[in-house]
Amino acid sequence: MTAAATVSDVTMRFSEHTALAGVSTSIEQNAITGLLGRNGAGKTTLMQLLTGHRVPSSGRVEVFGARPYENDDVLRRTCFIKEGQRYPDHFRVRDALHGASLLFPGWDADLAQTLLADFELPAGRPIKKLSRGMNSAVGIIIGLASRAPFTLFDEPYAGLDVVARHQFYDRLLADYAEHPRTILISTHLIEEIADLLERVLLIDRGRLLLDTDAESVRGSAVTVRGPVDRIRAFAAGHDLLHLDTLAGTGRAVVRLRSGGDGPDTSGLLAEPTNLQELVVAMSLAPPAPRHSSTDALQGVPR
Amino acid sequence: MNDDGGPIFRQVADLIENAIVDGSLAEESQAPSSNELAAFHRINPATAAKGLNQLVADGVLYKRRGVGMFVATGAREQLLKRRRSEFADQYLRPLMAEAQKLGIPATEVTDMIDNWESPR
């Protein structure tokens, strides 16, 4: 894989708090990567580092082969749509779009107009009079119409209704297919976006729990139900991420390891764990020892 | 796409195969592009392309440079042959397993099949 951005052993400390601890990963070029994790996991911090809004306490961040901090050449090719993006008070929608058109060399004004109509945004309305969802739509329009080679969306759809969100997915896919570029998107609405992703990063408490392609996540874990002792016997050859019990019956999320017995022979009811359930189970599981955490999935047979 | 844990690219390939088998996608006609498939199924275009490439590798589709993918002549026959060979494993195995669980002897299952009228 070719990397648009690399993060090497990056730690980010704020006075009392370590937001990222020794994170190493790379963002694949021209792929859509999902950045997943709980509130406060470190997603926004990672995006701020990738876009030169912060400098890491230690480690190295490179985008297009150079450090992004105060680097015009990198930043002109980067579009970062922040959660709850603020605009100057007197700005109307069209002022924000005009400003963005000056900033991004690849700006597509026609696409911006189409998206304005899609999201039913009145171009002349002052942005501070917009609802939360409409404010999010402004960010989405800028993010897509910028055609920036590296586009980051941080929780882009606060307040957007389900119809508008699907419009966003459709427009994103259509435009990305025509103009492939590197897209990093953080979201809590995992189920909605799972099939759009090519890569998945999961952060928890400042550490990377998953760094893999989306396809290999599918089928990498099973949710099993049945007698607790049988679940324990089955899970012994795998990773037991989460177990609920009720009167001797259990429900468990088990991450499969190569070499362990398949769930078919366990005498348990088994179904594949979808990405959202896996993220929940992994985020709730006690922190694993660091060495094996990031590539643990690679040995699982498909 | 559905959540049965099967790879999405395989599901994409299966859907195109189904269309070829039931005749809605004729031989030598053009298959949908990866971008069309991605938009339609709301999946990543790379995943859709992987499904198409699988079908090319299987000889079901072939590429015409600069034009797109087309259904190979003989693709339907090839798919029918493969699916017939998989039929027992895919459909008879679960049928007989359930029959055994319920204590229905094989002869009774055969009778049921003989007298089966497919619903209109």
Side-chain angles (χ1 to χ4, degrees):
Chain A
M1 107 176 179
T2 315
T6 54
V7 174
S8 316
D9 199 20
V10 161
T11 294
M12 186 74 220
R13 260 180 238 105
F14 301 104
S15 50
E16 291 284 287
H17 170 64
T18 303
L20 292 174
V23 169
S24 294
T25 184
S26 45
I27 311 293
E28 185 172 340
Q29 186 148 33
N30 294 345
I32 303 176
T33 300
L35 180 57
L36 312 177
R38 307 186 66 183
N39 292 328
K43 304 187 297 292
T44 299
T45 303
L46 181 61
M47 287 186 157
Q48 289 170 335
L49 290 168
L50 286 166
T51 51
H53 285 61
R54 290 187 190 284
V55 180
S57 310
S58 67
R60 193 175 175 92
V61 176
E62 284 190 355
V63 178
F64 302 125
R67 294 185 196 218
Y69 184 70
E70 291 192 339
N71 183 333
D72 275 349
D73 180 51
V74 169
L75 297 180
R76 267 189 314 121
R77 291 189 273 167
T78 303
C79 178
F80 181 22
I81 302 302
K82 299 181 204 117
E83 187 178 5
Q85 175 88 45
R86 301 286 296 268
Y87 303 88
D89 266 355
H90 61 280
F91 261 35
R92 295 163 296 174
V93 171
R94 75 163 61 90
D95 300 323
L97 299 187
H98 179 66
S101 76
L102 302 176
L103 228 51
F104 298 107
W107 181 261
D108 187 318
D110 292 340
L111 177 60
Q113 285 307 315
T114 309
L115 293 169
L116 266 183
D118 281 351
F119 288 104
E120 297 173 15
L121 268 187
R125 188 171 304 176
I127 291 187
K128 65 175 178 182
K129 296 249 169 84
L130 294 181
S131 69
R132 205 154 71 105
M134 281 179 153
N135 196 304
S136 295
V138 175
I140 284 172
I141 293 172
I142 292 174
L144 290 177
S146 76
R147 293 258 167 84
F150 186 22
T151 304
L152 302 90
F153 291 101
D154 189 9
E155 294 289 341
Y157 27 52
L160 272 193
D161 62 53
V162 62
V163 178
R165 291 202 301 273
H166 276 98
Q167 231 151 8
F168 168 59
Y169 303 138
D170 287 351
R171 286 296 175 181
L172 170 68
L173 270 183
D175 202 61
Y176 164 79
E178 295 284 319
H179 303 272
R181 52 202 193 262
T182 306
I183 289 171
L184 182 65
I185 177 165
S186 79
T187 179
H188 294 301
L189 301 173
I190 298 170
E191 215 153 315
E192 287 187 3
I193 207 168
D195 289 353
L196 270 61
L197 304 177
E198 195 172 340
R199 302 276 312 167
V200 174
L201 295 177
L202 170 61
I203 309 188
D204 189 58
R205 287 163 270 203
R207 299 186 322 171
L208 210 53
L209 291 190
L210 261 187
D211 180 358
T212 185
D213 60 292
E215 195 74 84
S216 69
V217 176
R218 291 174 62 85
S220 71
V222 287
T223 302
V224 289
R225 277 172 295 156
V228 172
D229 51 348
R230 258 194 220 175
I231 290 181
R232 292 213 180 274
F234 165 66
H238 303 282
D239 288 338
L240 179 61
L241 292 178
H242 187 77
L243 174 65
D244 289 325
T245 58
L246 175 69
T249 299
R251 183 183 58 231
V253 178
V254 177
R255 193 148 159 230
L256 300 175
R257 286 204 169 276
S258 54
D261 290 337
D264 298 346
T265 56
S266 64
L268 298 163
L269 284 173
E271 55 185 29
T273 308
N274 68 29
L275 182 59
Q276 175 150 314
E277 292 164 357
L278 181 64
V279 164
V280 172
M282 288 187 74
S283 300
L284 289 176
R290 263 191 65 184
H291 54 91
S292 63
S293 56
T294 51
D295 351 85
L297 269 181
Q298 288 174 359
V300 175
R302 298 282 317 140
Chain B
M1 304 295 274
N2 73 36
D3 237 341
D4 66 358
I8 300 177
F9 81 88
R10 191 57 250 176
Q11 295 180 35
V12 170
D14 285 345
L15 285 168
I16 294 172
E17 287 183 0
N18 285 343
I20 295 172
V21 167
D22 72 21
S24 52
L25 191 58
E27 293 181 355
E28 297 305 326
S29 68
Q30 186 164 9
S33 72
S34 56
N35 288 353
E36 287 170 337
L37 288 167
F40 183 79
H41 295 297
R42 290 209 174 100
I43 57 173
N44 191 287
T47 311
K50 197 171 167 192
L52 287 173
N53 288 333
Q54 177 69 55
L55 294 174
V56 172
D58 293 347
V60 173
L61 300 181
Y62 67 94
K63 281 183 199 173
R64 263 189 224 161
R65 195 184 288 275
V67 189
M69 308 255 193
F70 291 79
V71 181
T73 297
R76 184 164 183 272
E77 198 47 49
Q78 180 195 334
L79 290 172
L80 282 174
K81 203 172 147 195
R82 195 186 80 208
R83 292 206 172 180
R84 283 189 186 120
S85 72
E86 292 167 354
F87 181 81
D89 202 49
Q90 273 199 340
Y91 297 95
L92 276 191
R93 186 196 295 275
L95 177 76
M96 294 316 290
E98 181 70 8
Q100 202 173 10
K101 220 189 280 177
L102 301 180
I104 306 174
T107 50
E108 206 172 307
V109 175
T110 317
D111 284 348
M112 281 186 201
I113 292 172
D114 286 342
N115 298 319
W116 175 254
E117 282 176 40
S118 69
R120 274 175 300 151

PDB file of all heavy atoms in Angstrom, chain B residues 34-47:
ATOM      1  N   SER B  34     -17.597  -0.851 -11.662  1.00  0.00           N
ATOM      2  CA  SER B  34     -17.379  -0.868 -10.212  1.00  0.00           C
ATOM      3  C   SER B  34     -17.973   0.386  -9.558  1.00  0.00           C
ATOM      4  O   SER B  34     -18.502   0.314  -8.451  1.00  0.00           O
ATOM      5  CB  SER B  34     -15.887  -0.993  -9.892  1.00  0.00           C
ATOM      6  OG  SER B  34     -15.161   0.037 -10.514  1.00  0.00           O
ATOM      7  N   ASN B  35     -17.914   1.515 -10.260  1.00  0.00           N
ATOM      8  CA  ASN B  35     -18.498   2.727  -9.674  1.00  0.00           C
ATOM      9  C   ASN B  35     -20.019   2.632  -9.580  1.00  0.00           C
ATOM     10  O   ASN B  35     -20.616   3.087  -8.601  1.00  0.00           O
ATOM     11  CB  ASN B  35     -18.107   3.960 -10.488  1.00  0.00           C
ATOM     12  CG  ASN B  35     -16.645   4.320 -10.289  1.00  0.00           C
ATOM     13  OD1 ASN B  35     -15.967   3.727  -9.443  1.00  0.00           O
ATOM     14  ND2 ASN B  35     -16.156   5.275 -11.063  1.00  0.00           N
ATOM     15  N   GLU B  36     -20.623   2.043 -10.608  1.00  0.00           N
ATOM     16  CA  GLU B  36     -22.083   1.866 -10.552  1.00  0.00           C
ATOM     17  C   GLU B  36     -22.464   0.919  -9.414  1.00  0.00           C
ATOM     18  O   GLU B  36     -23.430   1.162  -8.681  1.00  0.00           O
ATOM     19  CB  GLU B  36     -22.595   1.307 -11.888  1.00  0.00           C
ATOM     20  CG  GLU B  36     -22.586   2.310 -13.020  1.00  0.00           C
ATOM     21  CD  GLU B  36     -22.855   1.672 -14.391  1.00  0.00           C
ATOM     22  OE1 GLU B  36     -22.629   0.451 -14.562  1.00  0.00           O
ATOM     23  OE2 GLU B  36     -23.296   2.402 -15.275  1.00  0.00           O
ATOM     24  N   LEU B  37     -21.708  -0.149  -9.288  1.00  0.00           N
ATOM     25  CA  LEU B  37     -21.991  -1.110  -8.211  1.00  0.00           C
ATOM     26  C   LEU B  37     -21.796  -0.463  -6.847  1.00  0.00           C
ATOM     27  O   LEU B  37     -22.585  -0.671  -5.918  1.00  0.00           O
ATOM     28  CB  LEU B  37     -21.081  -2.332  -8.339  1.00  0.00           C
ATOM     29  CG  LEU B  37     -21.385  -3.280  -9.490  1.00  0.00           C
ATOM     30  CD1 LEU B  37     -20.237  -4.257  -9.692  1.00  0.00           C
ATOM     31  CD2 LEU B  37     -22.688  -4.047  -9.239  1.00  0.00           C
ATOM     32  N   ALA B  38     -20.726   0.330  -6.716  1.00  0.00           N
ATOM     33  CA  ALA B  38     -20.444   0.983  -5.437  1.00  0.00           C
ATOM     34  C   ALA B  38     -21.582   1.916  -5.050  1.00  0.00           C
ATOM     35  O   ALA B  38     -22.053   1.906  -3.909  1.00  0.00           O
ATOM     36  CB  ALA B  38     -19.127   1.755  -5.520  1.00  0.00           C
ATOM     37  N   ALA B  39     -22.043   2.716  -6.023  1.00  0.00           N
ATOM     38  CA  ALA B  39     -23.120   3.665  -5.730  1.00  0.00           C
ATOM     39  C   ALA B  39     -24.405   2.921  -5.386  1.00  0.00           C
ATOM     40  O   ALA B  39     -25.113   3.270  -4.447  1.00  0.00           O
ATOM     41  CB  ALA B  39     -23.332   4.589  -6.929  1.00  0.00           C
ATOM     42  N   PHE B  40     -24.687   1.861  -6.163  1.00  0.00           N
ATOM     43  CA  PHE B  40     -25.943   1.137  -5.967  1.00  0.00           C
ATOM     44  C   PHE B  40     -25.993   0.429  -4.619  1.00  0.00           C
ATOM     45  O   PHE B  40     -26.982   0.521  -3.895  1.00  0.00           O
ATOM     46  CB  PHE B  40     -26.129   0.126  -7.101  1.00  0.00           C
ATOM     47  CG  PHE B  40     -27.429  -0.614  -7.040  1.00  0.00           C
ATOM     48  CD1 PHE B  40     -28.601  -0.020  -7.474  1.00  0.00           C
ATOM     49  CD2 PHE B  40     -27.484  -1.907  -6.532  1.00  0.00           C
ATOM     50  CE1 PHE B  40     -29.806  -0.696  -7.402  1.00  0.00           C
ATOM     51  CE2 PHE B  40     -28.679  -2.594  -6.459  1.00  0.00           C
ATOM     52  CZ  PHE B  40     -29.848  -1.989  -6.889  1.00  0.00           C
ATOM     53  N   HIS B  41     -24.906  -0.260  -4.278  1.00  0.00           N
ATOM     54  CA  HIS B  41     -24.904  -1.022  -3.024  1.00  0.00           C
ATOM     55  C   HIS B  41     -24.387  -0.217  -1.845  1.00  0.00           C
ATOM     56  O   HIS B  41     -24.313  -0.738  -0.727  1.00  0.00           O
ATOM     57  CB  HIS B  41     -24.036  -2.280  -3.180  1.00  0.00           C
ATOM     58  CG  HIS B  41     -24.570  -3.259  -4.184  1.00  0.00           C
ATOM     59  ND1 HIS B  41     -25.790  -3.877  -4.027  1.00  0.00           N
ATOM     60  CD2 HIS B  41     -24.074  -3.717  -5.357  1.00  0.00           C
ATOM     61  CE1 HIS B  41     -26.000  -4.679  -5.057  1.00  0.00           C
ATOM     62  NE2 HIS B  41     -24.981  -4.590  -5.879  1.00  0.00           N
ATOM     63  N   ARG B  42     -23.985   1.031  -2.090  1.00  0.00           N
ATOM     64  CA  ARG B  42     -23.377   1.870  -1.054  1.00  0.00           C
ATOM     65  C   ARG B  42     -22.183   1.153  -0.418  1.00  0.00           C
ATOM     66  O   ARG B  42     -22.127   0.958   0.802  1.00  0.00           O
ATOM     67  CB  ARG B  42     -24.379   2.233   0.031  1.00  0.00           C
ATOM     68  CG  ARG B  42     -25.442   3.190  -0.429  1.00  0.00           C
ATOM     69  CD  ARG B  42     -25.947   4.042   0.739  1.00  0.00           C
ATOM     70  NE  ARG B  42     -26.868   5.054   0.270  1.00  0.00           N
ATOM     71  CZ  ARG B  42     -28.185   4.960   0.339  1.00  0.00           C
ATOM     72  NH1 ARG B  42     -28.738   3.900   0.884  1.00  0.00           N
ATOM     73  NH2 ARG B  42     -28.954   5.920  -0.117  1.00  0.00           N
ATOM     74  N   ILE B  43     -21.251   0.752  -1.259  1.00  0.00           N
ATOM     75  CA  ILE B  43     -20.041   0.098  -0.765  1.00  0.00           C
ATOM     76  C   ILE B  43     -18.825   0.787  -1.361  1.00  0.00           C
ATOM     77  O   ILE B  43     -18.949   1.576  -2.302  1.00  0.00           O
ATOM     78  CB  ILE B  43     -20.004  -1.403  -1.140  1.00  0.00           C
ATOM     79  CG1 ILE B  43     -20.118  -1.570  -2.654  1.00  0.00           C
ATOM     80  CG2 ILE B  43     -21.117  -2.163  -0.429  1.00  0.00           C
ATOM     81  CD1 ILE B  43     -19.925  -3.000  -3.113  1.00  0.00           C
ATOM     82  N   ASN B  44     -17.690   0.488  -0.808  1.00  0.00           N
ATOM     83  CA  ASN B  44     -16.457   1.083  -1.303  1.00  0.00           C
ATOM     84  C   ASN B  44     -16.169   0.620  -2.740  1.00  0.00           C
ATOM     85  O   ASN B  44     -16.278  -0.567  -3.033  1.00  0.00           O
ATOM     86  CB  ASN B  44     -15.318   0.670  -0.376  1.00  0.00           C
ATOM     87  CG  ASN B  44     -14.060   1.446  -0.652  1.00  0.00           C
ATOM     88  OD1 ASN B  44     -13.402   1.217  -1.648  1.00  0.00           O
ATOM     89  ND2 ASN B  44     -13.742   2.372   0.217  1.00  0.00           N
ATOM     90  N   PRO B  45     -15.804   1.544  -3.642  1.00  0.00           N
ATOM     91  CA  PRO B  45     -15.542   1.169  -5.032  1.00  0.00           C
ATOM     92  C   PRO B  45     -14.443   0.109  -5.167  1.00  0.00           C
ATOM     93  O   PRO B  45     -14.498  -0.733  -6.069  1.00  0.00           O
ATOM     94  CB  PRO B  45     -15.098   2.481  -5.684  1.00  0.00           C
ATOM     95  CG  PRO B  45     -15.687   3.553  -4.834  1.00  0.00           C
ATOM     96  CD  PRO B  45     -15.724   3.003  -3.430  1.00  0.00           C
ATOM     97  N   ALA B  46     -13.461   0.137  -4.260  1.00  0.00           N
ATOM     98  CA  ALA B  46     -12.391  -0.872  -4.334  1.00  0.00           C
ATOM     99  C   ALA B  46     -12.955  -2.271  -4.073  1.00  0.00           C
ATOM    100  O   ALA B  46     -12.524  -3.256  -4.679  1.00  0.00           O
ATOM    101  CB  ALA B  46     -11.292  -0.546  -3.320  1.00  0.00           C
ATOM    102  N   THR B  47     -13.932  -2.347  -3.180  1.00  0.00           N
ATOM    103  CA  THR B  47     -14.570  -3.625  -2.884  1.00  0.00           C
ATOM    104  C   THR B  47     -15.348  -4.128  -4.099  1.00  0.00           C
ATOM    105  O   THR B  47     -15.292  -5.312  -4.443  1.00  0.00           O
ATOM    106  CB  THR B  47     -15.520  -3.473  -1.684  1.00  0.00           C
ATOM    107  OG1 THR B  47     -14.836  -2.812  -0.637  1.00  0.00           O
ATOM    108  CG2 THR B  47     -16.021  -4.824  -1.214  1.00  0.00           C
TER     109      THR B  47
END
